[in-house]
Amino acid sequence: MFAAFDRIATHGIVSKPIPAEFGIEGYFFRYEHHFVYWRMLSNGDIGIVTILHERMHQIERFRDDFGLG
């Protein structure tokens, strides 16, 4: 999974934008049985926001992680 994180910066992994209704700028991609949510930080670094297993209720957990719940 850490190799996938390294490929974010070089665009070596395809990410999709987080839906606009969340009001958060960021992206996500699937890695094996997980969904990785990430965003660009103000200093230009990449921040991994959360990693969710496919069995977890993604929308509810995503709202909790971003403080939108």
Side-chain angles (χ1 to χ4, degrees):
M1 188 175 291
F2 288 103
F5 297 162
D6 291 338
R7 292 193 332 253
I8 292 171
T10 62
H11 304 287
I13 195 151
V14 177
S15 297
K16 296 179 183 179
I18 294 172
E21 61 262 20
F22 288 105
I24 302 291
E25 289 187 31
Y27 304 89
F28 70 99
F29 63 91
R30 186 177 180 125
Y31 179 82
E32 294 181 4
H33 295 283
H34 296 84
F35 290 89
V36 177
Y37 292 86
W38 64 276
R39 65 180 172 177
M40 293 297 291
L41 303 177
S42 59
N43 65 359
D45 289 344
I46 293 169
I48 304 299
V49 176
T50 193
I51 302 168
L52 303 176
H53 190 272
E54 65 188 3
R55 292 184 183 171
M56 296 179 79
H57 188 272
Q58 293 178 37
I59 299 302
E60 182 178 317
R61 178 63 189 266
F62 183 76
R63 289 179 190 270
D64 290 344
D65 287 346
F66 275 103
L68 301 173

